Coordinates of all heavy atoms in Angstrom, one line a residue:
M1 N 19.8 77.7 21.7 CA 20.8 76.6 22.1 C 20.1 75.3 21.9 O 20.7 74.3 21.4 CB 21.2 76.8 23.5 CG 22.4 76.0 23.9 SD 23.1 76.8 25.4 CE 24.2 75.6 25.8
Q2 N 18.9 75.2 22.4 CA 18.1 73.9 22.2 C 17.9 73.6 20.8 O 18.0 72.5 20.3 CB 16.8 74.1 23.0 CG 15.9 72.8 22.9 CD 16.5 71.7 23.7 OE1 17.1 71.9 24.7 NE2 16.2 70.5 23.3
R3 N 17.6 74.7 20.0 CA 17.4 74.5 18.6 C 18.6 74.0 17.9 O 18.6 73.1 17.0 CB 16.9 75.8 17.9 CG 16.4 75.6 16.5 CD 15.9 76.9 15.9 NE 14.9 77.6 16.8 CZ 14.8 78.9 16.9 NH1 15.5 79.7 16.1 NH2 13.9 79.5 17.7
D4 N 19.8 74.5 18.3 CA 21.1 74.1 17.7 C 21.3 72.7 18.1 O 21.8 71.9 17.2 CB 22.2 75.0 18.3 CG 22.8 75.9 17.3 OD1 22.3 75.9 16.1 OD2 23.7 76.7 17.6
A5 N 21.1 72.3 19.3 CA 21.3 70.9 19.8 C 20.4 70.0 19.0 O 20.8 68.9 18.5 CB 21.0 70.8 21.3
N6 N 19.1 70.4 18.8 CA 18.2 69.5 18.0 C 18.6 69.4 16.6 O 18.5 68.3 16.0 CB 16.7 70.1 18.1 CG 16.1 69.9 19.4 OD1 16.5 69.0 20.1 ND2 15.1 70.7 19.7
R7 N 19.1 70.5 16.0 CA 19.6 70.5 14.6 C 20.8 69.5 14.5 O 20.9 68.7 13.6 CB 20.0 71.9 14.2 CG 20.4 72.0 12.7 CD 20.8 73.4 12.3 NE 21.8 74.0 13.2 CZ 23.1 73.7 13.1 NH1 23.6 72.9 12.3 NH2 23.9 74.3 14.0
Q8 N 21.7 69.6 15.5 CA 22.9 68.7 15.5 C 22.5 67.3 15.6 O 23.0 66.4 15.0 CB 23.9 69.1 16.6 CG 24.7 70.3 16.2 CD 25.8 70.6 17.3 OE1 25.6 70.2 18.4 NE2 26.8 71.3 16.9
I9 N 21.5 67.1 16.5 CA 21.0 65.7 16.7 C 20.4 65.2 15.4 O 20.6 64.0 15.0 CB 20.0 65.6 17.9 CG1 20.7 65.8 19.2 CG2 19.2 64.3 17.9 CD1 19.7 66.0 20.4
S10 N 19.6 66.0 14.7 CA 19.0 65.6 13.5 C 20.1 65.3 12.4 O 20.0 64.3 11.7 CB 18.1 66.7 12.9 OG 17.0 66.8 13.7
E11 N 21.1 66.1 12.4 CA 22.2 65.9 11.5 C 22.9 64.6 11.8 O 23.2 63.8 10.8 CB 23.3 67.1 11.6 CG 23.0 68.3 10.7 CD 24.1 69.3 10.8 OE1 25.3 68.9 10.9 OE2 23.7 70.5 10.9
Y12 N 23.2 64.4 13.0 CA 23.9 63.1 13.4 C 23.0 61.9 13.1 O 23.5 60.9 12.7 CB 24.3 63.2 14.9 CG 25.5 64.1 15.1 CD1 25.5 64.9 16.3 CD2 26.5 64.3 14.2 CE1 26.5 65.8 16.5 CE2 27.5 65.1 14.5 CZ 27.5 65.9 15.6 OH 28.6 66.8 15.9
K13 N 21.7 62.0 13.3 CA 20.8 60.9 13.0 C 20.8 60.6 11.5 O 20.8 59.5 11.1 CB 19.4 61.2 13.5 CG 19.2 61.1 15.0 CD 17.7 61.3 15.3 CE 17.5 61.2 16.8 NZ 16.1 61.5 17.2
F14 N 20.8 61.7 10.7 CA 20.9 61.6 9.3 C 22.2 60.9 8.8 O 22.2 60.0 8.0 CB 20.7 62.9 8.6 CG 20.8 62.9 7.1 CD1 19.8 62.3 6.3 CD2 22.0 63.3 6.5 CE1 20.0 62.2 4.9 CE2 22.1 63.2 5.1 CZ 21.1 62.7 4.3
K15 N 23.3 61.4 9.4 CA 24.6 60.8 9.1 C 24.7 59.4 9.5 O 25.2 58.5 8.8 CB 25.7 61.6 9.8 CG 26.0 63.0 9.1 CD 27.1 63.7 9.8 CE 27.3 65.1 9.1 NZ 28.4 65.9 9.8
L16 N 24.1 59.0 10.7 CA 24.1 57.7 11.2 C 23.3 56.8 10.2 O 23.7 55.7 9.8 CB 23.5 57.6 12.6 CG 23.4 56.2 13.1 CD1 24.7 55.5 13.3 CD2 22.6 56.2 14.5
S17 N 22.1 57.3 9.8 CA 21.3 56.6 8.9 C 22.0 56.4 7.5 O 22.0 55.3 7.0 CB 20.0 57.3 8.6 OG 19.2 56.7 7.6
K18 N 22.7 57.4 7.1 CA 23.4 57.3 5.8 C 24.6 56.3 5.9 O 24.8 55.5 5.0 CB 24.0 58.7 5.5 CG 24.8 58.8 4.2 CD 23.9 58.9 3.0 CE 24.7 59.2 1.8 NZ 24.8 58.2 0.8
A19 N 25.3 56.4 7.1 CA 26.4 55.4 7.3 C 25.9 54.0 7.4 O 26.5 53.1 6.8 CB 27.1 55.8 8.6
E20 N 24.7 53.8 8.0 CA 24.2 52.4 8.1 C 23.8 51.9 6.7 O 24.0 50.8 6.3 CB 23.0 52.4 9.0 CG 23.4 52.5 10.5 CD 22.2 52.6 11.4 OE1 21.0 53.0 10.9 OE2 22.3 52.4 12.6
Q21 N 23.2 52.8 5.8 CA 22.9 52.5 4.5 C 24.2 52.1 3.7 O 24.2 51.1 2.9 CB 22.2 53.6 3.7 CG 20.7 53.8 4.2 CD 20.1 55.0 3.4 OE1 20.8 55.8 2.8 NE2 18.8 55.1 3.6
D22 N 25.2 52.9 3.9 CA 26.5 52.6 3.2 C 27.1 51.3 3.7 O 27.6 50.5 2.8 CB 27.5 53.8 3.5 CG 27.2 55.1 2.8 OD1 26.3 55.1 1.9 OD2 27.8 56.1 3.2
I23 N 27.0 51.0 5.0 CA 27.4 49.7 5.5 C 26.7 48.6 4.8 O 27.3 47.6 4.4 CB 27.4 49.7 7.0 CG1 28.4 50.6 7.6 CG2 27.5 48.3 7.5 CD1 28.3 50.8 9.1
T24 N 25.4 48.7 4.8 CA 24.5 47.7 4.2 C 24.9 47.5 2.7 O 25.1 46.3 2.2 CB 23.0 48.0 4.3 OG1 22.7 48.2 5.7 CG2 22.1 47.0 3.7
T25 N 25.1 48.6 2.0 CA 25.5 48.5 0.6 C 26.8 47.8 0.4 O 27.0 47.0 -0.4 CB 25.5 49.9 0.0 OG1 24.3 50.5 0.1 CG2 25.9 49.9 -1.5
L26 N 27.8 48.2 1.3 CA 29.1 47.6 1.2 C 29.1 46.1 1.6 O 29.8 45.3 1.0 CB 30.1 48.3 2.2 CG 30.4 49.8 1.7 CD1 31.2 50.4 2.8 CD2 31.2 49.8 0.4
E27 N 28.2 45.7 2.6 CA 28.1 44.3 2.9 C 27.5 43.5 1.7 O 28.0 42.4 1.5 CB 27.3 44.1 4.2 CG 27.9 44.6 5.4 CD 27.0 44.6 6.7 OE1 25.8 44.5 6.5 OE2 27.6 44.6 7.8
Q28 N 26.6 44.1 1.1 CA 26.0 43.4 -0.1 C 27.0 43.3 -1.2 O 27.1 42.3 -1.9 CB 24.8 44.2 -0.6 CG 23.6 44.1 0.3 CD 22.5 45.1 -0.2 OE1 22.6 45.9 -1.0 NE2 21.3 44.9 0.5
S29 N 27.8 44.3 -1.4 CA 28.9 44.3 -2.4 C 29.9 43.2 -2.0 O 30.4 42.5 -2.9 CB 29.6 45.6 -2.5 OG 28.8 46.6 -3.0
I30 N 30.2 43.1 -0.8 CA 31.2 42.1 -0.3 C 30.6 40.7 -0.6 O 31.4 39.8 -1.2 CB 31.5 42.2 1.2 CG1 32.4 43.4 1.4 CG2 32.2 41.0 1.8 CD1 32.5 43.8 2.9
S31 N 29.4 40.5 -0.3 CA 28.8 39.2 -0.6 C 28.8 38.9 -2.1 O 29.1 37.8 -2.5 CB 27.3 39.1 -0.1 OG 27.3 39.2 1.3
R32 N 28.4 39.8 -2.9 CA 28.4 39.7 -4.3 C 29.8 39.4 -4.9 O 30.0 38.4 -5.7 CB 27.9 40.9 -5.0 CG 27.8 40.9 -6.5 CD 27.2 42.1 -7.1 NE 27.8 43.4 -6.6 CZ 29.0 43.9 -7.1 NH1 29.6 43.2 -8.0 NH2 29.5 45.0 -6.6
L33 N 30.8 40.1 -4.4 CA 32.2 39.9 -4.8 C 32.8 38.6 -4.3 O 33.5 37.9 -5.1 CB 33.1 41.1 -4.3 CG 32.8 42.4 -5.0 CD1 33.6 43.5 -4.3 CD2 33.1 42.4 -6.4
E34 N 32.4 38.1 -3.1 CA 32.8 36.8 -2.7 C 32.2 35.7 -3.6 O 32.9 34.7 -3.9 CB 32.4 36.6 -1.2 CG 33.2 37.4 -0.2 CD 32.7 37.3 1.2 OE1 31.6 36.9 1.4 OE2 33.5 37.6 2.1
G35 N 31.0 35.9 -4.0 CA 30.4 34.9 -4.9 C 31.1 34.9 -6.3 O 31.4 33.9 -6.8
Q36 N 31.5 36.1 -6.7 CA 32.2 36.2 -8.0 C 33.6 35.5 -7.9 O 34.0 34.8 -8.7 CB 32.5 37.6 -8.4 CG 31.2 38.3 -9.1 CD 31.5 39.7 -9.5 OE1 32.5 40.3 -9.0 NE2 30.7 40.2 -10.4
V37 N 34.3 35.8 -6.7 CA 35.6 35.2 -6.5 C 35.5 33.6 -6.5 O 36.3 32.9 -7.1 CB 36.2 35.6 -5.2 CG1 37.4 34.8 -4.8 CG2 36.6 37.1 -5.3
L38 N 34.4 33.1 -5.9 CA 34.2 31.7 -5.8 C 34.0 31.1 -7.2 O 34.6 30.1 -7.6 CB 33.0 31.4 -4.9 CG 32.7 29.9 -4.7 CD1 33.9 29.2 -4.1 CD2 31.5 29.7 -3.8
R39 N 33.1 31.8 -8.0 CA 32.9 31.4 -9.4 C 34.1 31.4 -10.2 O 34.4 30.5 -11.0 CB 31.8 32.2 -10.0 CG 30.4 31.9 -9.5 CD 29.3 32.5 -10.4 NE 29.4 34.0 -10.5 CZ 28.9 34.8 -9.6 NH1 28.3 34.3 -8.5 NH2 29.0 36.1 -9.7
Y40 N 34.9 32.5 -10.1 CA 36.1 32.6 -10.9 C 37.2 31.6 -10.5 O 37.9 31.0 -11.3 CB 36.7 34.0 -10.8 CG 35.9 35.1 -11.5 CD1 35.9 36.4 -11.0 CD2 35.1 34.8 -12.6 CE1 35.1 37.4 -11.6 CE2 34.4 35.8 -13.2 CZ 34.4 37.1 -12.7 OH 33.6 38.1 -13.3
R41 N 37.3 31.3 -9.2 CA 38.2 30.3 -8.7 C 37.8 29.0 -9.2 O 38.7 28.2 -9.7 CB 38.2 30.3 -7.2 CG 39.3 29.4 -6.6 CD 39.3 29.4 -5.1 NE 39.8 30.7 -4.7 CZ 39.3 31.3 -3.6 NH1 38.3 30.8 -2.9 NH2 39.8 32.5 -3.3
T42 N 36.5 28.6 -9.2 CA 36.1 27.4 -9.7 C 36.4 27.3 -11.2 O 36.8 26.2 -11.7 CB 34.6 27.2 -9.5 OG1 34.3 27.3 -8.1 CG2 34.1 25.8 -10.0
A43 N 36.1 28.4 -11.9 CA 36.3 28.4 -13.4 C 37.8 28.2 -13.7 O 38.2 27.5 -14.6 CB 35.8 29.7 -14.0
A44 N 38.7 28.9 -12.9 CA 40.1 28.8 -13.1 C 40.6 27.3 -12.8 O 41.4 26.8 -13.6 CB 40.8 29.8 -12.2
E45 N 40.1 26.7 -11.8 CA 40.5 25.3 -11.5 C 40.0 24.4 -12.6 O 40.8 23.5 -13.0 CB 39.9 24.9 -10.1 CG 40.5 25.6 -8.9 CD 39.7 25.3 -7.6 OE1 38.7 24.7 -7.7 OE2 40.2 25.8 -6.6
N46 N 38.8 24.6 -13.1 CA 38.3 23.8 -14.2 C 39.2 24.0 -15.5 O 39.5 23.0 -16.2 CB 36.9 24.1 -14.5 CG 35.9 23.5 -13.4 OD1 36.3 22.6 -12.7 ND2 34.8 24.1 -13.4
A47 N 39.5 25.3 -15.7 CA 40.4 25.6 -16.9 C 41.7 24.9 -16.7 O 42.3 24.4 -17.7 CB 40.5 27.1 -17.0
E48 N 42.3 24.9 -15.5 CA 43.6 24.3 -15.3 C 43.5 22.8 -15.6 O 44.4 22.1 -16.2 CB 44.1 24.5 -13.9 CG 44.6 26.0 -13.7 CD 45.0 26.3 -12.3 OE1 44.9 25.4 -11.4 OE2 45.4 27.4 -12.1
K49 N 42.4 22.2 -15.1 CA 42.2 20.7 -15.3 C 42.1 20.4 -16.8 O 42.7 19.5 -17.3 CB 40.9 20.3 -14.5 CG 40.6 18.8 -14.7 CD 39.3 18.5 -13.9 CE 38.9 17.1 -14.1 NZ 37.6 16.8 -13.5
V50 N 41.3 21.2 -17.5 CA 41.1 21.0 -18.9 C 42.5 21.2 -19.6 O 42.8 20.4 -20.5 CB 40.1 22.0 -19.5 CG1 40.1 22.0 -21.0 CG2 38.7 21.6 -19.0
E51 N 43.2 22.2 -19.2 CA 44.6 22.4 -19.8 C 45.5 21.2 -19.6 O 46.2 20.8 -20.5 CB 45.2 23.7 -19.2 CG 46.5 24.0 -19.8 CD 47.2 25.2 -19.1 OE1 46.8 25.5 -17.9 OE2 48.1 25.8 -19.7
D52 N 45.5 20.7 -18.4 CA 46.3 19.5 -18.1 C 45.9 18.3 -19.0 O 46.7 17.6 -19.5 CB 46.2 19.1 -16.6 CG 46.9 20.1 -15.8 OD1 47.7 20.9 -16.3 OD2 46.6 20.1 -14.5
E53 N 44.6 18.1 -19.1 CA 44.1 17.1 -20.0 C 44.5 17.3 -21.4 O 44.8 16.3 -22.1 CB 42.5 17.0 -19.8 CG 42.1 16.4 -18.5 CD 40.6 16.6 -18.3 OE1 39.9 17.1 -19.2 OE2 40.1 16.1 -17.3
L54 N 44.4 18.5 -21.9 CA 44.8 18.8 -23.3 C 46.2 18.6 -23.5 O 46.7 18.1 -24.6 CB 44.4 20.2 -23.7 CG 42.9 20.5 -23.8 CD1 42.6 22.0 -24.0 CD2 42.3 19.7 -25.0
K55 N 47.1 19.0 -22.5 CA 48.5 18.7 -22.6 C 48.8 17.2 -22.7 O 49.6 16.8 -23.5 CB 49.2 19.3 -21.5 CG 49.4 20.8 -21.5 CD 50.1 21.4 -20.3 CE 50.2 22.9 -20.4 NZ 50.9 23.4 -19.2
A56 N 48.1 16.4 -21.9 CA 48.3 15.0 -21.9 C 47.9 14.4 -23.3 O 48.6 13.6 -23.9 CB 47.5 14.3 -20.8
E57 N 46.7 14.9 -23.8 CA 46.3 14.5 -25.1 C 47.2 14.8 -26.2 O 47.5 14.1 -27.1 CB 44.9 15.1 -25.4 CG 44.3 14.7 -26.7 CD 43.8 13.2 -26.7 OE1 43.7 12.6 -25.7 OE2 43.6 12.7 -27.8
K58 N 47.8 16.0 -26.1 CA 48.8 16.5 -27.1 C 50.0 15.6 -27.1 O 50.5 15.2 -28.2 CB 49.2 17.9 -26.8 CG 50.2 18.5 -27.8 CD 50.6 19.9 -27.5 CE 51.7 20.4 -28.4 NZ 52.1 21.7 -28.0
R59 N 50.5 15.3 -25.9 CA 51.7 14.4 -25.8 C 51.4 13.0 -26.4 O 52.2 12.5 -27.2 CB 52.1 14.2 -24.4 CG 52.8 15.4 -23.8 CD 53.5 15.1 -22.4 NE 52.5 14.7 -21.4 CZ 51.9 15.6 -20.6 NH1 52.1 16.9 -20.7 NH2 51.0 15.1 -19.7
K60 N 50.2 12.5 -26.1 CA 49.7 11.2 -26.7 C 49.7 11.3 -28.2 O 50.2 10.4 -28.9 CB 48.4 10.8 -26.1 CG 47.8 9.5 -26.6 CD 46.4 9.3 -26.1 CE 45.8 8.2 -26.9 NZ 44.3 8.1 -26.7
L61 N 49.1 12.3 -28.7 CA 49.0 12.5 -30.2 C 50.3 12.6 -30.8 O 50.6 12.1 -31.9 CB 48.1 13.6 -30.5 CG 46.6 13.4 -30.2 CD1 45.8 14.7 -30.4 CD2 46.0 12.3 -31.0
Q62 N 51.2 13.3 -30.2 CA 52.6 13.5 -30.7 C 53.3 12.1 -30.7 O 54.0 11.8 -31.7 CB 53.4 14.5 -29.9 CG 52.9 15.9 -30.2 CD 53.6 17.0 -29.3 OE1 54.1 16.7 -28.2 NE2 53.8 18.2 -29.8
R63 N 53.1 11.3 -29.7 CA 53.7 10.0 -29.7 C 53.2 9.2 -30.9 O 53.9 8.5 -31.6 CB 53.4 9.3 -28.4 CG 54.5 9.5 -27.3 CD 54.3 8.5 -26.2 NE 52.9 8.4 -25.7 CZ 52.4 9.2 -24.7 NH1 53.1 10.1 -24.2 NH2 51.1 9.0 -24.3
E64 N 51.8 9.2 -31.0 CA 51.2 8.5 -32.1 C 51.7 9.0 -33.5 O 51.9 8.2 -34.4 CB 49.7 8.6 -32.0 CG 49.1 7.9 -30.9 CD 47.6 8.1 -30.7 OE1 47.0 8.7 -31.6 OE2 47.0 7.6 -29.7
L65 N 51.9 10.3 -33.6 CA 52.4 10.8 -34.9 C 53.8 10.3 -35.1 O 54.1 9.9 -36.3 CB 52.4 12.4 -34.8 CG 53.0 13.1 -36.0 CD1 52.2 12.8 -37.3 CD2 53.0 14.6 -35.7
R66 N 54.7 10.3 -34.1 CA 56.0 9.8 -34.3 C 56.0 8.4 -34.7 O 56.7 8.0 -35.6 CB 56.9 10.0 -33.1 CG 57.4 11.4 -32.8 CD 58.4 11.5 -31.8 NE 58.0 11.0 -30.5 CZ 57.3 11.7 -29.5 NH1 57.1 12.9 -29.7 NH2 57.0 11.1 -28.4
T67 N 55.1 7.6 -34.1 CA 55.0 6.2 -34.4 C 54.5 6.0 -35.8 O 55.1 5.2 -36.6 CB 54.0 5.5 -33.5 OG1 54.5 5.6 -32.1 CG2 53.9 4.0 -33.7
A68 N 53.5 6.8 -36.2 CA 53.0 6.7 -37.6 C 54.1 7.1 -38.6 O 54.2 6.5 -39.7 CB 51.8 7.6 -37.7
L69 N 54.8 8.2 -38.3 CA 55.8 8.6 -39.3 C 56.9 7.6 -39.4 O 57.5 7.3 -40.5 CB 56.4 10.0 -38.8 CG 55.5 11.2 -38.9 CD1 56.2 12.4 -38.3 CD2 55.1 11.4 -40.4
D70 N 57.3 6.9 -38.3 CA 58.3 5.9 -38.3 C 57.8 4.7 -39.2 O 58.5 4.1 -40.0 CB 58.6 5.3 -36.9 CG 59.4 6.4 -36.1 OD1 60.0 7.3 -36.7 OD2 59.5 6.2 -34.9
K71 N 56.5 4.4 -39.0 CA 55.9 3.3 -39.8 C 55.9 3.6 -41.3 O 56.2 2.8 -42.1 CB 54.5 3.0 -39.3 CG 53.8 1.8 -39.9 CD 54.4 0.5 -39.5 CE 53.6 -0.6 -40.0 NZ 54.3 -1.9 -39.8
I72 N 55.5 4.9 -41.6 CA 55.5 5.3 -43.0 C 56.9 5.2 -43.6 O 57.1 4.7 -44.7 CB 55.0 6.8 -43.1 CG1 53.5 6.8 -42.8 CG2 55.3 7.4 -44.5 CD1 52.9 8.2 -42.7
E73 N 57.9 5.6 -42.8 CA 59.3 5.6 -43.3 C 59.7 4.1 -43.6 O 60.3 3.8 -44.6 CB 60.3 6.2 -42.3 CG 61.7 6.3 -42.8 CD 62.6 6.9 -41.8 OE1 62.1 7.5 -40.8 OE2 63.8 6.8 -42.0
E74 N 59.3 3.2 -42.7 CA 59.6 1.8 -42.8 C 58.9 1.2 -44.0 O 59.5 0.5 -44.8 CB 59.2 1.1 -41.5 CG 59.4 -0.4 -41.6 CD 58.8 -1.1 -40.3 OE1 58.9 -0.5 -39.2 OE2 58.3 -2.2 -40.4
V75 N 57.6 1.6 -44.2 CA 56.9 1.1 -45.4 C 57.5 1.6 -46.7 O 57.6 0.9 -47.7 CB 55.4 1.4 -45.2 CG1 54.6 1.2 -46.5 CG2 54.8 0.6 -44.1
E76 N 57.9 2.9 -46.7 CA 58.5 3.5 -47.9 C 59.8 2.7 -48.2 O 60.0 2.5 -49.4 CB 58.7 5.0 -47.7 CG 57.4 5.8 -47.8 CD 57.6 7.2 -47.5 OE1 58.7 7.6 -47.0 OE2 56.7 8.0 -47.8
M77 N 60.6 2.4 -47.2 CA 61.8 1.7 -47.5 C 61.5 0.3 -48.0 O 62.2 -0.1 -49.0 CB 62.7 1.6 -46.2 CG 63.3 2.9 -45.8 SD 64.3 2.9 -44.3 CE 64.9 1.3 -44.1
T78 N 60.6 -0.3 -47.4 CA 60.2 -1.7 -47.9 C 59.7 -1.6 -49.3 O 60.0 -2.4 -50.2 CB 59.1 -2.3 -47.0 OG1 59.6 -2.3 -45.7 CG2 58.7 -3.7 -47.4
N79 N 58.9 -0.6 -49.6 CA 58.3 -0.4 -51.0 C 59.5 -0.1 -52.0 O 59.5 -0.7 -53.0 CB 57.3 0.8 -51.0 CG 56.6 0.9 -52.3 OD1 56.4 -0.1 -53.0 ND2 56.3 2.2 -52.6
S80 N 60.4 0.7 -51.6 CA 61.5 1.0 -52.5 C 62.3 -0.3 -52.7 O 62.7 -0.6 -53.9 CB 62.4 2.0 -51.8 OG 63.6 2.2 -52.5
H81 N 62.6 -1.1 -51.7 CA 63.3 -2.3 -51.8 C 62.6 -3.3 -52.7 O 63.2 -3.9 -53.6 CB 63.5 -2.9 -50.4 CG 64.1 -4.3 -50.5 ND1 65.5 -4.5 -50.8 CD2 63.6 -5.5 -50.2 CE1 65.7 -5.8 -50.8 NE2 64.6 -6.4 -50.4
L82 N 61.3 -3.4 -52.5 CA 60.5 -4.3 -53.4 C 60.4 -3.8 -54.8 O 60.4 -4.7 -55.7 CB 59.1 -4.5 -52.8 CG 59.0 -5.2 -51.4 CD1 57.6 -5.2 -50.9 CD2 59.5 -6.7 -51.6
A83 N 60.4 -2.5 -55.0 CA 60.3 -2.0 -56.4 C 61.7 -2.3 -57.1 O 61.7 -2.7 -58.2 CB 60.1 -0.5 -56.3
K84 N 62.8 -2.2 -56.3 CA 64.1 -2.6 -56.9 C 64.1 -4.0 -57.3 O 64.6 -4.4 -58.4 CB 65.2 -2.2 -56.0 CG 65.5 -0.7 -55.9 CD 66.5 -0.4 -54.9 CE 66.7 1.1 -54.7 NZ 67.7 1.4 -53.6
R85 N 63.6 -4.9 -56.4 CA 63.6 -6.3 -56.7 C 62.7 -6.6 -57.9 O 63.1 -7.5 -58.7 CB 63.1 -7.1 -55.4 CG 64.1 -7.2 -54.4 CD 63.6 -8.1 -53.2 NE 63.2 -9.4 -53.6 CZ 62.5 -10.2 -52.8 NH1 62.3 -9.9 -51.5 NH2 62.2 -11.4 -53.2
L86 N 61.6 -5.9 -58.0 CA 60.7 -6.1 -59.1 C 61.4 -5.7 -60.4 O 61.3 -6.5 -61.4 CB 59.4 -5.3 -58.9 CG 58.4 -5.4 -60.0 CD1 57.9 -6.9 -60.2 CD2 57.2 -4.5 -59.8
E87 N 62.1 -4.6 -60.4 CA 62.8 -4.2 -61.6 C 63.9 -5.2 -62.0 O 64.1 -5.5 -63.2 CB 63.5 -2.8 -61.3 CG 62.5 -1.7 -61.3 CD 61.7 -1.5 -62.6 OE1 62.3 -1.6 -63.7 OE2 60.5 -1.3 -62.5
K88 N 64.6 -5.8 -61.0 CA 65.6 -6.8 -61.2 C 64.9 -8.0 -61.9 O 65.4 -8.6 -62.8 CB 66.4 -7.2 -60.0 CG 67.4 -6.2 -59.5 CD 68.1 -6.7 -58.3 CE 69.1 -5.6 -57.8 NZ 69.7 -6.1 -56.5
M89 N 63.8 -8.4 -61.3 CA 63.1 -9.6 -61.8 C 62.6 -9.3 -63.3 O 62.7 -10.2 -64.1 CB 61.9 -9.9 -61.0 CG 62.2 -10.5 -59.6 SD 60.7 -10.7 -58.7 CE 61.2 -12.1 -57.7
K90 N 62.1 -8.1 -63.5 CA 61.7 -7.8 -64.9 C 62.9 -7.8 -65.8 O 62.8 -8.3 -67.0 CB 61.1 -6.4 -64.9 CG 59.7 -6.4 -64.4 CD 59.1 -5.0 -64.5 CE 57.7 -4.9 -63.9 NZ 57.2 -3.5 -64.0
A91 N 64.0 -7.3 -65.4 CA 65.2 -7.3 -66.2 C 65.7 -8.7 -66.5 O 66.1 -9.1 -67.6 CB 66.3 -6.5 -65.5
N92 N 65.7 -9.6 -65.4 CA 66.1 -11.0 -65.6 C 65.1 -11.7 -66.6 O 65.5 -12.5 -67.4 CB 66.1 -11.7 -64.3 CG 67.3 -11.3 -63.4 OD1 68.3 -10.8 -63.9 ND2 67.2 -11.5 -62.1
R93 N 63.8 -11.4 -66.5 CA 62.8 -12.0 -67.3 C 63.1 -11.6 -68.8 O 63.0 -12.4 -69.7 CB 61.4 -11.7 -66.9 CG 60.4 -12.4 -67.6 CD 59.0 -12.1 -67.0 NE 58.2 -11.6 -68.1 CZ 57.1 -10.9 -68.0 NH1 56.7 -10.5 -66.8 NH2 56.4 -10.5 -69.0
T94 N 63.3 -10.3 -68.9 CA 63.6 -9.8 -70.3 C 64.8 -10.4 -70.9 O 64.9 -10.8 -72.0 CB 63.7 -8.2 -70.2 OG1 62.6 -7.7 -69.6 CG2 63.9 -7.7 -71.6
A95 N 65.9 -10.6 -70.0 CA 67.1 -11.2 -70.5 C 66.8 -12.7 -70.8 O 67.4 -13.1 -71.9 CB 68.2 -11.1 -69.4
L96 N 66.1 -13.3 -70.1 CA 65.8 -14.8 -70.3 C 65.0 -14.9 -71.6 O 65.2 -15.8 -72.5 CB 65.0 -15.4 -69.2 CG 65.8 -15.8 -67.9 CD1 64.8 -16.3 -66.9 CD2 66.8 -16.8 -68.3
L97 N 64.0 -14.0 -71.8 CA 63.2 -14.0 -73.1 C 64.0 -13.7 -74.3 O 63.8 -14.3 -75.4 CB 62.0 -13.1 -73.0 CG 60.9 -13.5 -72.0 CD1 59.8 -12.4 -71.9 CD2 60.2 -14.8 -72.4
A98 N 65.0 -12.8 -74.0 CA 65.9 -12.4 -75.2 C 66.8 -13.6 -75.5 O 67.2 -13.8 -76.7 CB 66.7 -11.2 -74.8
Q99 N 67.2 -14.4 -74.6 CA 68.1 -15.5 -74.8 C 67.3 -16.6 -75.6 O 67.9 -17.4 -76.3 CB 68.6 -16.1 -73.5 CG 69.7 -15.3 -72.9 CD 70.2 -15.9 -71.5 OE1 69.6 -16.9 -71.1 NE2 71.2 -15.3 -71.0
Q100 N 66.1 -16.8 -75.4 CA 65.3 -17.8 -76.0 C 65.0 -17.5 -77.4 O 65.0 -17.3 -78.4 CB 64.0 -18.1 -75.3 CG 64.2 -18.7 -73.9 CD 62.9 -18.9 -73.2 OE1 61.9 -18.4 -73.6 NE2 63.0 -19.5 -72.1

């Protein structure tokens, strides 16, 4: 009976030791995972900030593009108008030279 009790005590001591090791391992895992969560959260916040900045930059560039396209259209219209005026002037000059 004493031997049985000693065997059970030894088993319980071993189980206690094993449980304490498991607890230590789990606590270390918790600390490691908390660190990972913190790093991932920081990375996600930085990514969101960069995304917002890129969206703002995209809107700015799209505005600039629209402005540039409007300016191109305006310049093309002016160019077309001036080309027509030049053709009229050439035609008038040719007519004047033909009259002389």
